[in-house]
Amino acid sequence: MRTLEHPRTEDLQLDAVLSALADPIRRTIVRQLADGHADQACIAFALPVGKSTSTHHFRVLREAGVIEQRYQGTAILNTLRDTDLEARFPGLLTAILAAT
């Protein structure tokens, strides 16, 4: 089974997280996941970009540690790492979501 690399909670870097969340498309993804749509497949997001660009946005979020991605069959499911982000940067995600 294929697996995707994710940073450990203690390895999350504030600059990487803020950079990932600076893009409005990526904030849209995070907002949708925060609104209770955990374990959502990439194709379920209505993004105004092409497939390769959308793949890039998901990869940036995953590599920054904002989301977790896992394979289920041929689909990639996405989950917001809100607990990890709160542990590492208390209040950051709440502030970002309140501002969007």
Side-chain angles (χ1 to χ4, degrees):
M1 174 186 271
R2 290 179 57 189
T3 59
L4 298 163
E5 295 284 326
H6 298 85
R8 297 177 310 166
T9 303
E10 57 271 15
D11 293 334
L12 298 180
Q13 298 295 314
L14 182 60
D15 289 344
V17 171
L18 291 176
S19 179
L21 294 173
D23 186 277
I25 300 290
R26 293 192 284 267
R27 285 194 310 273
T28 298
I29 294 167
V30 169
R31 164 60 63 199
Q32 193 166 333
L33 290 170
D35 285 344
H37 297 282
D39 290 337
Q40 191 165 18
C42 295
I43 61 169
F45 291 83
L47 301 175
V49 295
K51 186 177 189 250
S52 65
T53 303
S54 130
T55 299
H56 166 75
H57 287 300
F58 282 103
R59 182 176 49 82
V60 169
L61 288 169
R62 178 177 46 82
E63 290 177 350
V66 177
I67 65 171
E68 179 180 345
Q69 294 185 301
R70 64 181 172 80
Y71 281 97
Q72 183 173 12
T74 58
I76 296 177
L77 300 182
N78 301 280
T79 305
L80 185 61
R81 291 180 64 183
D82 50 347
T83 303
D84 294 337
L85 290 167
E86 184 62 26
R88 185 80 168 110
F89 309 112
L92 176 66
L93 185 59
T94 302
I96 295 290
L97 292 171
T100 39

